[in-house]
Amino acid sequence: MKILVLSDSHREEDYLLRAVRREKPDAVIHLGDHASDALAIEREFPRLPVCRVRGNCDRYETDVQEETVLTWEGVKILATHGHRYHVKSSLLTLCYAAVQAGVQVALFGHTHIPYCEESEGLWLLNPGACGRLFPTYGMIEINNGAVQCRVMEEAL
């Protein structure tokens, strides 16, 4: 299973759609800051599952959760924008929340800086910002319960 992870699109819907076309994922997760941008994906790819969480710039997206735990192919994933965990200062609080939730992958955005690391069975993935300057996105691949995460840094 391929999961495309996007964040901080800030109304740059074209970049989101180009990433979906390029990767042909099985699902998409948008980590906020203009979570409504993900609606463009839902319109263009109506059969593609899209999950979105609210970021600090999504004050009016009251129908969107601030975070969620998803399970795909037996792998639990925490999706959050990250501002509530103060990820610009440290990833420690997010790591504690991930361990508490029993997830294998913790996704966050907010910093606009791509990050992808695995330690002791926990992946931390920040896809960066899928916007105009140096757009990046994340990919999660799940095969028979094994997880691999990466950041795609090439220009869209």
Side-chain angles (χ1 to χ4, degrees), residues 48-67:
L48 183 63
V50 176
C51 172
R52 54 194 183 111
V53 295
R54 190 167 67 223
N56 59 298
C57 292
D58 294 319
R59 291 180 191 92
Y60 304 109
E61 295 285 330
T62 56
D63 62 326
V64 180
Q65 298 176 10
E66 286 195 352
E67 70 179 44

Side-chain angles (χ1 to χ4, degrees), residues 18-79:
R18 286 165 53 184
V20 172
R21 286 187 203 106
R22 172 182 281 167
E23 295 297 335
K24 298 173 180 49
D26 299 303
V28 175
I29 301 171
H30 191 289
L31 301 174
D33 275 1
H34 297 286
S36 60
D37 293 349
L39 298 176
I41 296 169
E42 292 177 349
R43 283 189 300 273
E44 187 151 332
F45 303 94
R47 291 193 169 101
L48 183 63
V50 176
C51 172
R52 54 194 183 111
V53 295
R54 190 167 67 223
N56 59 298
C57 292
D58 294 319
R59 291 180 191 92
Y60 304 109
E61 295 285 330
T62 56
D63 62 326
V64 180
Q65 298 176 10
E66 286 195 352
E67 70 179 44
T68 190
V69 174
L70 308 160
T71 303
W72 273 310
E73 294 191 8
V75 174
K76 288 178 72 175
I77 301 169
L78 171 66

Side-chain angles (χ1 to χ4, degrees), residues 83-141:
H83 60 294
R84 300 263 187 228
Y85 293 104
H86 311 287
V87 296
K88 286 186 178 180
S89 301
S90 168
L91 298 179
L92 191 58
T93 306
L94 177 62
C95 286
Y96 286 145
V99 169
Q100 191 86 351
V103 301
Q104 290 82 33
V105 181
L107 304 175
F108 67 102
H110 190 53
T111 67
H112 294 210
I113 300 169
Y115 181 87
C116 185
E117 289 289 328
E118 187 271 336
S119 178
E120 298 182 26
L122 174 63
W123 281 96
L124 296 176
L125 173 63
N126 181 332
C130 191
R132 190 170 305 177
L133 296 175
F134 310 109
T136 59
Y137 57 91
M139 290 299 304
I140 302 170
E141 292 194 51

